[in-house]
């Protein structure tokens, strides 16, 4: 029988924090911008420039640490990590090694039907590097320091994951927590969330950990999944062929679906870490932690329990809606206004998700207000507009946050509830569709659809199709 292998995976996740300014200077953190325009002597590593810590960075880091069940380090320090690279103008990075801001936490993930805790070894604060832009045409590289000094937290897990699915569940959970906190937008494509995957394989049942490699350059969930499968296969083939896996950093090429060795993996001692002499230690007292705790939002788990009690919507819907804080707040506010949580949930679950997918948007980017969603539910429930008009109004609301009441009024979309007018139209339709009428009366149920369609057309869509159906049946019986 072929030998069975187990994959052992740990993750280092870098998250760019959503502060207005950089970690040690007042430059803007905004993504993009002309190269080297968000820079100053501090973040371009000029001699003599001194860093000043941005307090908001510490608050976000503590908030994330608390949400991930970590111990917060009451006195933490920064350290210098020394290395040369062209995107790193100081020739060192200010990071944390000896006293990181948070330690010993966990997040709970759900994979299939099983729940599992992924332990967090530690979390530290550090500054981001600049960006090298390689111009292959000119065979040159240029450097943009706009990103240099953007605050990061690095979240280091224990090697507790065993499959790509668990890795993705863990990343999704982290991303959800951090987005709930508003601490980052966590966009893998834009690099505000980046994951390095440490992976080794071992024979099933073995307690020993194999030699691991680290994979970088993974900028989508799909790439992460493929890289894990590719690297697992590569290591198994080496072992089966009697060769050793080398401890190294590898770069994943998603187009070729293969990873390439970049360099042998460094140890902490290679970086000659030492305490950062230009920054004082940070003392985090109980009062500060309490203040941050008080500001923590209600997270998904708590919301799910409350939703069961207060709104009575299906569990599946509640899961999806609460996976985004913004969508959850839309749902809660709209439901409070119109008192019809099931209807609100339907709009979010069907039309909203459909349009989000169609536009390639995230729920955080939804721009319509809960008040307008509540108005649409009310219009539709009162029978003032029929379902196809409601969908049309919703699309308008989705893209421009229009006021549904005003929009329906201005565009004359209200359902005509004038029985006299409806009767007249129906009679005309009956008179001019003799074939369909005799078909229906001869027992062809389907023919009624033709008559309903004709009536709706004559009413320019502003009739309630159920009412039309009923009235036609009455008149033809
Ligand atoms: Zn700066």
């Amino acid at each position: 029988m072929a030998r069975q292998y187990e994959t052992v995976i740990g993750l280092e996740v870098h998250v760019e924090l959503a502060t207005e300014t950089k970690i040690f200077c007042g430059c803007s953190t905004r993504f993009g911008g002309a190269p080297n325009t968000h820079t100053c002597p501090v973040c371009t590593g000029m001699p003599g420039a001194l860093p000043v810590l941005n307090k908001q960075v510490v608050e976000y880091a503590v908030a994330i640490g608390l949400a991930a069940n970590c111990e917060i380090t009451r006195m933490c320090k920064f350290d210098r990590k020394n290395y040369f690279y062209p995107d790193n103008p100081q020739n060192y990075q200010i990071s944390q090694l000896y006293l990181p801001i948070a330690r010993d936490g966990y997040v709970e993930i759900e994979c299939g039907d099983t729940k599992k805790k992924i332990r967090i070894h530690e979390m530290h604060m550090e500054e981001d590097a600049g960006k090298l832009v390689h111009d292959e045409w000119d065979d040159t590289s240029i450097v943009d320091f706009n990103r240099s000094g953007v605050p990061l937290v690095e979240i280091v897990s224990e090697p507790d994951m065993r499959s790509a699915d668990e890795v993705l569940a863990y990343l999704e959970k982290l991303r959800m927590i951090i987005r709930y906190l508003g601490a980052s937008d966590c966009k893998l494509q834009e690099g505000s969330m980046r994951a390095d995957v440490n992976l080794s394989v071992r024979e099933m049942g073995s307690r020993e950990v194999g030699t691991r490699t680290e994979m970088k350059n993974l900028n989508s969930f799909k790439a992460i999944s493929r890289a894990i499968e590719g690297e697992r296969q590569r290591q198994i083939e080496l072992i089966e062929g009697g060769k050793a896996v080398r401890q190294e950093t590898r770069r994943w090429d998603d187009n070729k679906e293969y990873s390439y060795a970049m360099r042998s993996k460094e140890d902490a001692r290679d970086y000659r870490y030492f305490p950062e002499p230009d920054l004082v230690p940070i003392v985090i007292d109980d009062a500060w932690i309490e203040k941050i705790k008080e500001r923590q939002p209600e997270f998904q788990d708590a919301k799910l329990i409350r939703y069961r009690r207060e709104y009575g919507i299906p569990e599946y819907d509640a899961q999806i809606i609460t996976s985004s804080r913004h969508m959850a707040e839309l749902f809660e506010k709209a439901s409070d206004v119109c008192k019809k949580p099931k209807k609100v949930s339907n709009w979010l679950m069907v039309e909203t998700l459909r349009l989000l997918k169609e536009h390639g948007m995230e729920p955080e980017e939804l721009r319509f207000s809960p008040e307008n969603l509540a108005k649409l539910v009310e219009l539709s429930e009162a029978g003032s507009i029929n379902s196809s008009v409601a969908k049309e109004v919703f699309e308008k609301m989705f893209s421009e946050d229009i006021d549904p009441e005003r929009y329906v009024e201005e565009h004359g979309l209200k359902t005509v509830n004038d029985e006299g007018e409806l009767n007249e139209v129906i009679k005309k339709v009956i008179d001019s569709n003799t074939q369909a009428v005799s078909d229906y009366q001869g027992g062809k149920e389907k023919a009624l659809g033709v008559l309903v369609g004709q009536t709706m057309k004559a009413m320019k869509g502003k009739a309630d199709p159920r009412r039309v159906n009923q009235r036609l049946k009455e008149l033809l019986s």
Side-chain angles (χ1 to χ4, degrees):
M1 202 181 82
R3 277 188 283 183
Q4 298 286 308
Y5 291 91
E6 178 176 54
T7 321
V8 178
I9 309 167
L11 246 56
E12 287 166 26
V13 178
H14 285 89
V15 175
E16 271 183 10
L17 297 177
T19 53
E20 292 284 316
T21 55
K22 293 184 179 180
I23 184 168
F24 300 124
C25 64
C27 293
S28 167
T29 54
R30 213 166 324 119
F31 181 75
N36 299 307
T37 51
H38 306 160
T39 54
C40 74
V42 173
C43 56
T44 48
M46 294 296 150
L50 289 172
V52 177
L53 177 61
N54 181 342
K55 188 177 173 187
Q56 182 66 51
V57 173
V58 181
E59 302 215 327
Y60 275 148
V62 171
I64 297 170
L66 290 172
N69 306 295
C70 292
E71 279 293 319
I72 303 300
T73 309
R74 297 316 177 93
M75 195 181 91
C76 72
K77 285 180 180 174
F78 283 101
D79 302 291
R80 269 190 198 181
K81 180 180 183 181
N82 296 283
Y83 69 96
F84 170 78
Y85 201 70
D87 64 7
N88 171 26
Q90 302 161 131
N91 289 346
Y92 59 82
Q93 177 193 32
I94 302 180
S95 180
Q96 295 192 293
L97 179 72
Y98 302 108
L99 293 168
I101 184 131
R103 278 183 283 212
D104 296 332
Y106 67 86
V107 294
E108 200 170 47
I109 61 164
E110 239 178 286
C111 224
D113 289 333
T114 49
K115 283 189 177 173
K116 181 173 175 180
K117 275 182 186 171
I118 306 298
R119 290 169 302 153
I120 289 169
H121 177 70
E122 65 163 60
M123 224 182 83
H124 59 260
M125 302 178 285
E126 62 186 26
E127 55 182 338
D128 209 345
K131 212 181 224 166
L132 285 181
V133 184
H134 304 290
D135 187 335
E136 275 165 38
W137 184 256
D138 262 350
D139 199 19
T140 53
S141 294
I142 44 179
V143 61
D144 176 5
F145 289 121
N146 282 353
R147 202 179 65 182
S148 165
V150 167
L152 295 175
V153 288
E154 180 176 338
I155 304 165
V156 183
S157 84
E158 298 288 353
D160 286 349
M161 287 157 272
R162 297 288 172 269
S163 67
D165 285 348
E166 288 186 5
V167 168
L168 298 194
Y170 169 73
L171 283 171
E172 272 169 13
K173 187 72 185 248
L174 276 187
R175 184 168 71 169
M176 183 170 73
I177 289 172
I178 295 168
R179 282 182 170 174
Y180 255 80
L181 290 165
S184 173
D185 57 13
C186 293
K187 287 186 177 163
L188 273 90
Q189 302 83 350
E190 288 183 9
S192 56
M193 186 182 208
R194 314 195 275 270
D196 298 339
V197 174
N198 287 303
L199 185 150
S200 63
V201 295
R202 65 182 172 199
E203 239 183 286
M204 203 62 104
S206 164
R207 298 260 103 213
E208 267 169 66
V209 186
T211 306
R212 67 194 164 95
T213 59
E214 180 181 329
M215 271 184 300
K216 289 186 179 291
N217 194 40
L218 306 166
N219 52 17
S220 71
F221 280 178
K222 276 199 185 118
I224 291 170
S225 233
R226 283 194 285 260
I228 287 171
E229 197 37 51
E231 182 59 11
R232 173 189 147 83
Q233 286 305 333
R234 193 188 68 87
Q235 291 190 14
I236 291 174
E237 276 164 30
L238 282 173
I239 294 167
E240 300 260 287
K243 292 183 194 134
V245 175
R246 280 180 35 196
Q247 184 170 332
E248 61 194 1
T249 301
R250 299 180 69 84
R251 185 178 200 281
W252 176 252
D253 186 327
D254 204 38
N255 292 322
K256 303 200 173 95
E257 295 201 23
Y258 192 77
S259 67
Y260 297 91
M262 281 167 77
R263 53 174 191 259
S264 61
K265 170 95 179 141
E266 306 82 359
D267 278 325
R269 59 167 177 243
D270 296 327
Y271 288 113
R272 321 303 283 182
Y273 277 95
F274 63 84
E276 169 57 51
D278 290 340
L279 288 162
V280 292
I282 310 150
V283 178
I284 303 170
D285 61 13
D286 290 349
W288 196 5
I289 291 186
E290 275 313 306
K291 224 186 268 171
I292 296 170
K293 263 189 194 161
E294 275 167 28
R295 286 200 301 255
Q296 297 286 78
E298 180 187 34
F299 287 104
Q300 186 183 39
D301 297 347
K303 277 195 189 297
L304 285 174
I305 294 169
R306 187 164 63 80
Y307 278 25
R308 234 168 272 147
R309 201 175 56 226
E310 288 178 15
Y311 297 115
I313 58 170
E315 189 72 27
Y316 177 74
D317 297 15
Q319 282 275 358
I320 303 268
I321 289 170
T322 56
S323 64
S324 144
R325 181 181 176 182
H326 182 63
M327 186 132 86
E329 285 175 354
L330 258 175
F331 168 77
E332 291 169 25
K333 285 185 191 149
S335 298
D336 289 347
V337 175
C338 71
K339 312 282 180 227
K340 295 186 177 69
K342 278 192 182 140
K343 301 292 170 191
V344 173
S345 160
N346 283 346
W347 279 108
L348 293 173
M349 292 299 296
V350 184
E351 288 302 299
T352 307
L353 292 185
R354 178 178 73 79
L355 290 172
L356 281 174
K357 197 173 169 200
E358 207 176 285
H359 291 85
M361 284 163 60
E362 305 268 3
E364 272 66 28
E365 295 168 294
L366 287 172
R367 285 298 157 256
F368 59 83
S369 70
E371 290 76 19
N372 282 341
L373 178 57
K375 278 183 189 173
L376 181 65
V377 168
E378 276 166 347
L379 281 170
S380 163
E381 286 308 292
S384 306
I385 51 175
N386 65 39
S387 63
S388 63
V389 169
K391 271 186 199 164
E392 178 193 327
V393 175
F394 181 80
E395 288 203 18
K396 208 72 189 156
M397 200 177 88
F398 182 93
S399 55
E400 294 164 41
D401 191 27
I402 46 99
D403 176 334
E405 274 171 10
R406 199 181 315 148
Y407 186 84
V408 165
E409 202 62 54
E410 281 171 5
H411 292 78
L413 295 170
K414 254 208 170 103
T415 303
V416 177
N417 286 319
D418 180 337
E419 288 291 305
E421 190 183 338
L422 182 62
N423 280 340
E424 226 161 89
V425 171
I426 290 182
K427 275 179 197 147
K428 270 185 206 155
V429 168
I430 290 176
D431 289 344
S432 52
N433 290 277
T434 45
Q435 186 60 47
V437 170
S438 63
D439 284 352
Y440 175 70
Q441 284 170 334
K444 282 189 188 163
E445 283 283 328
K446 269 190 186 163
L448 191 68
V450 175
L451 299 169
V452 173
Q454 289 296 326
T455 310
M456 290 302 291
K457 199 174 157 194
M459 297 288 291
K460 299 198 174 65
K462 289 182 286 178
D464 176 1
R466 276 168 306 182
R467 181 81 197 104
V468 172
N469 207 298
Q470 191 188 357
R471 196 74 198 111
L472 268 167
K473 277 185 184 164
E474 284 165 13
L475 288 170
L476 292 175
S477 65

